[in-house]
């Protein structure tokens, strides 16, 4: 049966581990796996801005032996010029997989329902699961391997209702982490996603919690993360978000509350002086450039898993 990766919990605990281990293998030997040899094409579609995602998927698909077929969503106008299922029927027979960055999660669900090739979520309004695979791979890289992940405390401060918060909840719980989301009261995670993450955490020894105080969120954490206060598509809310989000900024005082060797993650792009200070983003505990590079390795591992199994 064709496998998709539409949200973090589309990978079981064992499958996530397999993908993270393969990520490390491919980091050490970039051309070790060639599931797209031919070259077979993978459609990489962007309905929203991108830098890291385009670079890492295009590079990664080429390194897997394939042909990265970038589609500009502004030209294709999927769902406007023609229906999602009509697009799926055009793409499905021609490509080995479809990678899509779009808005509503229901859009990528519709695409997946209409094709028999893997569909990969390259960010939706609700989830950013490829980023969280890269983030988990980065923590494993800096903590001696995948075995180090279970039991770590992962603290995210910022927009609890955005794609990163949701993916940290699901992906972090799958990895057996204690995931804390620190966010303003009006910007909390989706209740169903939180419940799903709690269900996963109950099987992995992890936990999930939502707090409304930055310092309590960060206290003693092994990994700290934040993200823009204004996700793509919400630009008109920027001014209104400033006041509630300032208390959740990741700054030097906040980082000092975490474990002394805590790792700092940010999916980027970062806004220095907004959600994170320059001193933290560019400081010695930051691993954001490894995190960005791990998009490449993690997505290659994911595509290999989806196309070939382990
Ligand atoms: N939450 C951000 C992530 C960017 C990679 C956004 O959706 O814009």
């Amino acid at each position: 049966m064709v496998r998709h990766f539409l949200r973090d919990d589309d990978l079981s605990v064992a499958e996530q581990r397999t993908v993270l281990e393969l990520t490390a293998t491919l980091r050490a030997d970039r051309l070790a796996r060639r599931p797209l040899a031919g070259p077979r094409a993978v459609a990489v579609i962007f309905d929203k801005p991108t830098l890291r995602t385009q670079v890492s998927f295009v590079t990664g698909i080429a390194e897997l032996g394939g042909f990265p077929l970038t589609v500009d969503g502004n030209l294709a106008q999927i769902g406007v010029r023609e229906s999602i299922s009509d697009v799926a029927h055009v793409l499905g027979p021609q490509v080995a997989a479809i990678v899509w960055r779009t808005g509503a999660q229901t859009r990528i669900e519709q695409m997946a329902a209409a094709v028999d090739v893997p569909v990969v979520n390259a960010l939706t309004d609700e989830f950013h699961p490829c980023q969280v695979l890269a983030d988990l791979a980065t923590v494993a890289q800096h903590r001696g391997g995948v075995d180090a992940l279970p039991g770590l405390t992962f603290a995210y401060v910022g927009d609890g209702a955005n794609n990163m918060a949701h993916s940290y909840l699901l992906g972090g719980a799958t990895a057996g982490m204690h995931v804390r989301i620190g966010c303003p009261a009006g910007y909390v995670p989706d209740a169903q996603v939180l419940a799903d993450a709690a269900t996963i955490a109950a099987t992995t020894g992890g936990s999930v919690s939502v707090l409304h105080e930055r310092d309590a969120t960060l206290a003693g954490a092994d990994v700290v993360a934040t993200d823009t206060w204004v996700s793509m598509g919400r630009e008109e809310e920027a001014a209104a978000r400033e006041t509630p989000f300032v208390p959740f900024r990741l700054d030097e005082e906040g980082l000092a509350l975490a474990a002394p060797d805590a790792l700092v993650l940010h999916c980027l792009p970062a806004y220095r002086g907004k959600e994170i200070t320059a001193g933290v983003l560019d400081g010695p505990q930051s691993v954001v450039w490894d995190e960005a590079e791990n998009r490449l390795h993690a997505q290659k591992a994911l595509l290999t898993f989806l196309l070939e199994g382990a």
Side-chain angles (χ1 to χ4, degrees):
M1 206 184 79
V2 64
R3 293 292 301 270
H4 305 295
F5 189 55
L6 307 185
R7 43 186 272 170
D8 308 78
D9 53 352
D10 285 340
L11 293 181
S12 70
V13 173
E15 289 168 347
Q16 184 197 68
R17 186 189 171 89
T18 296
V19 170
L20 292 174
E21 286 174 343
L22 184 53
T23 301
T25 300
L26 290 171
R27 191 190 301 118
D29 181 359
R30 298 261 291 249
L31 304 181
R33 299 293 290 265
R34 309 282 286 175
L36 293 167
R40 298 158 76 200
V42 174
V44 189
I45 313 167
F46 293 102
D47 293 349
K48 289 182 175 182
T50 178
L51 173 77
R52 274 148 297 279
T53 301
Q54 182 172 15
V55 169
S56 56
F57 269 111
V58 168
T59 302
I61 289 161
E63 290 184 358
L64 293 175
F67 176 78
L69 172 63
T70 303
V71 177
D72 181 342
N74 293 316
L75 292 177
Q77 295 180 52
I78 298 171
V80 176
R81 200 163 159 259
E82 56 195 317
S83 70
I84 292 170
S85 69
D86 282 3
V87 171
H89 291 130
V90 173
L91 293 179
Q94 299 192 54
V95 301
I98 297 168
V99 175
W100 194 12
R101 165 167 291 187
T102 191
Q105 184 75 7
T106 51
R107 287 169 58 78
I108 203 164
E109 288 168 356
Q110 287 175 53
M111 181 75 83
V115 290
D116 56 9
V117 297
V119 174
V120 173
N121 181 345
L123 182 147
T124 58
D125 293 341
E126 288 92 337
F127 301 103
H128 196 3
C130 289
Q131 179 68 56
V132 168
L133 280 181
D135 287 22
L136 294 172
T138 306
V139 177
Q141 179 184 4
H142 285 269
R143 287 291 178 267
V146 179
D147 286 337
L149 297 180
L152 292 181
T153 296
F154 188 105
Y156 167 89
V157 287
D159 184 357
N162 77 5
N163 39 24
M164 287 305 303
H166 289 150
S167 280
Y168 282 137
L169 283 166
L170 294 178
T174 302
M177 290 174 152
H178 302 290
V179 183
R180 297 180 192 153
I181 304 294
C183 59
Y187 299 89
V188 297
D190 176 81
Q192 186 60 55
V193 172
L194 186 62
D196 292 346
T199 301
I200 296 167
T203 73
T204 62
S207 65
V208 295
S209 55
V210 177
L211 299 88
H212 298 303
E213 216 242 305
R214 182 200 71 165
D215 291 0
T217 308
L218 295 173
D222 301 297
V223 185
V224 302
T226 187
D227 183 20
T228 180
W229 295 337
V230 186
S231 286
M232 291 180 274
R234 298 196 169 272
E235 290 77 6
E236 76 287 355
E237 300 174 25
R241 284 172 171 249
E242 191 85 9
T243 301
F245 278 100
V246 164
F248 292 87
R249 175 176 293 143
L250 184 55
D251 59 16
E252 286 80 345
E253 292 74 39
L255 181 59
L257 301 170
D261 62 348
L263 300 170
V264 174
L265 296 174
H266 192 307
C267 65
L268 307 172
Y271 300 90
R272 291 173 178 80
K274 296 285 189 179
E275 77 276 4
I276 192 165
T277 59
V280 172
L281 188 78
D282 302 316
Q285 290 171 254
S286 170
V287 290
V288 299
W289 308 122
D290 288 337
E291 181 186 6
E293 181 189 323
N294 277 321
R295 295 290 304 280
L296 171 71
H297 310 308
Q299 289 159 188
K300 287 171 66 185
L302 174 74
L303 284 170
T304 301
F305 173 80
L306 295 176
L307 291 163
E308 294 193 335

